Amino acid sequence: MIQPLTMPEQGYTLTPKEDAIETQMLEVSMGPHHPSTHGVFRMDVVLDGEEVRRLKPVLGYLHRNHEQLAEKMNWLGSIPFTDRLDYFCSMTNNWAYCLAVEQLAGIKVPERAEYIRVIMAELTRLQNHSCQAGFLLSDTGAWGTPLLYAFREREKILDLFEAASGARMMCNYMRFGGVRADVDDDWLAAARKVVENYPCFIDELEALITGNEILLARTQKIGILPRELAINASITGPMLRASGVDYDIRKVDRYGIYGRLDFRVPLGEVGDVYDRYYVRILEMRESVKILQQALRDIPEGPSDAGVKMRNFKVPVGDGYGRIEGPKGELGFYLVSDGSTRPYRYHVRAPSFINLTILEDMCVGHKLADAMVILGSVDIVLGEVDR
């Protein structure tokens, strides 16, 4: 007689399959330090043989008190702290926070600054999705070549960030009403060269891995996220679109200058790991189109609205600003009491929200598949544990 595994302290009971060889359930702790967990993150996994029967994400190892710190400093002082959320995507982190403050304070951003913001955001999307594809291949246990290729291209984008902001990763570049420093003609020429050559890299990456039979075997029909479940769980970004949901905040809110740019929103059909990979590949091609238009049409003019940062105050009220970050909807909910600092500051982080559906995608798959499914979510622990 096969005995069930009872864990009352965790609130569940599991019974092995009756026709299976008599075995005992095994609980495995993956992490908090594990090369496939993308940071200080743990998964408590209950296994029946190699099959995942239950999976519990364990968070909180990297908590940095981000939101409470922001409520104790002035409005401007929080911008460099947003860099440390998704540290792969500091430019888009800056933009989401500044957009929320601008909506609350009624600040109008000049045209040139709007173009620069879009350029920085789409360059960020390119380097994020490129590296995610490389990390995903590493999670399958495959070779490291795609990741090295991705980092090679990422370095070119980081060179542009460094030239514009003085920093490669923690850019601290956006300001209320614009950007901290304008970009000159030489910078724009260098950016056009990077964007012009990027489709060659995407073609190279696709030729190397998209049709690879090992990748197909490890990703197709693995970790399927049904459309209805994705919507009900508030999943956003490439994960949501890979499940066939046509929702992109750049199209919905038309913030910045996205309303005047021509690009499409790629969608998946199955919602498996492969669709989540390939939607990001297609999104990179669309980002190249956006960048070509923005770099072609960027106007002359001021790059900031001349907002005085000293003793900067926001009118009493509350508001929510959001953007389509590389990982999904990044939003900031802010409450102002009219002083020089936020009364309430809350981050809606896509890595955290998208991670909540991990168990639903992993149950029934092998343990090795769970690592690939986690990789397809594309998390950064800096914004999971805030």
Side-chain angles (χ1 to χ4, degrees), residues 102-378:
E102 288 158 2
Q103 290 178 359
L104 198 55
I107 299 171
K108 182 173 175 55
V109 181
E111 280 282 291
R112 183 173 178 86
E114 294 282 27
Y115 274 84
I116 294 173
R117 286 178 170 189
V118 166
I119 291 168
M120 297 303 183
E122 295 307 317
L123 286 172
T124 298
R125 200 178 315 275
L126 282 180
Q127 60 96 11
N128 180 87
H129 287 359
S130 300
C131 293
Q132 195 279 334
F135 283 126
L136 182 64
L137 264 292
S138 298
D139 290 336
T140 65
W143 60 97
T145 304
L147 182 58
L148 295 178
Y149 283 179
F151 269 81
R152 179 193 66 191
E153 300 304 312
R154 178 175 180 254
E155 286 299 303
K156 299 173 185 176
I157 294 176
L158 296 188
D159 287 343
L160 294 174
F161 289 168
E162 184 177 19
S165 71
R168 300 178 69 78
M169 288 183 63
M170 310 305 172
C171 297
N172 186 22
Y173 183 62
M174 309 287 181
R175 289 295 182 269
F176 310 137
V179 296
R180 179 161 53 86
D182 201 352
V183 293
D184 58 19
D185 291 340
D186 290 339
W187 190 95
L188 292 172
R192 290 186 186 103
K193 183 176 180 181
V194 170
V195 172
E196 178 184 354
N197 294 330
Y198 220 88
C200 297
F201 160 70
I202 301 174
D203 292 340
E204 181 183 50
L205 189 67
E206 282 218 68
L208 183 64
I209 63 178
T210 297
N212 182 276
E213 62 184 75
I214 299 176
L215 175 74
L216 296 178
R218 293 300 309 276
T219 59
Q220 289 187 329
K221 307 297 183 184
I222 301 296
I224 294 176
L225 177 59
R227 172 190 175 94
E228 295 76 16
L229 183 56
I231 295 171
N232 292 338
S234 300
I235 304 303
T236 56
M239 278 190 69
L240 179 67
R241 293 187 285 274
S243 296
V245 181
D246 187 359
Y247 186 81
D248 188 310
I249 298 173
R250 294 173 295 177
K251 290 285 190 180
V252 174
D253 289 358
R254 303 166 73 88
Y255 62 93
I257 59 165
Y258 282 115
R260 69 185 74 165
L261 299 175
D262 179 30
F263 65 101
R264 68 186 185 91
V265 179
L267 302 176
E269 295 180 353
V270 180
D272 55 9
V273 171
Y274 183 82
D275 276 0
R276 291 194 281 277
Y277 153 75
Y278 199 60
V279 158
R280 291 181 173 101
I281 295 293
L282 296 177
E283 283 192 4
M284 285 196 286
R285 297 193 183 277
E286 298 304 310
S287 290
V288 169
K289 292 182 188 178
I290 293 172
L291 285 163
Q292 289 170 340
Q293 296 171 70
L295 289 166
R296 180 195 66 206
D297 298 336
I298 184 170
E300 296 295 329
S303 61
D304 68 85
V307 177
K308 300 300 182 182
M309 297 300 171
R310 184 177 178 84
N311 294 324
F312 175 76
K313 296 180 180 180
V314 173
V316 176
D318 68 313
Y320 178 70
R322 63 178 188 169
I323 68 166
E324 183 66 42
K327 295 174 173 62
E329 178 180 335
L330 174 60
F332 286 79
Y333 174 69
L334 304 173
V335 179
S336 173
D337 59 3
S339 69
T340 57
R341 62 189 186 189
Y343 175 78
R344 180 70 178 97
Y345 175 110
H346 176 66
V347 184
R348 194 270 186 206
S351 288
F352 175 72
I353 302 295
N354 292 348
L355 191 60
T356 60
I357 210 74
L358 182 62
E359 181 181 31
D360 299 82
M361 296 189 294
C362 289
V363 169
H365 290 293
K366 304 298 185 186
L367 179 60
D369 293 332
M371 307 315 303
V372 181
I373 295 168
L374 173 64
S376 73
V377 177
D378 187 17

Side-chain angles (χ1 to χ4, degrees), residues 63-74:
H63 180 57
R64 294 172 295 111
N65 214 35
H66 177 95
E67 295 174 354
Q68 283 67 44
L69 284 172
E71 294 167 7
K72 302 300 181 184
M73 63 180 63
N74 62 36

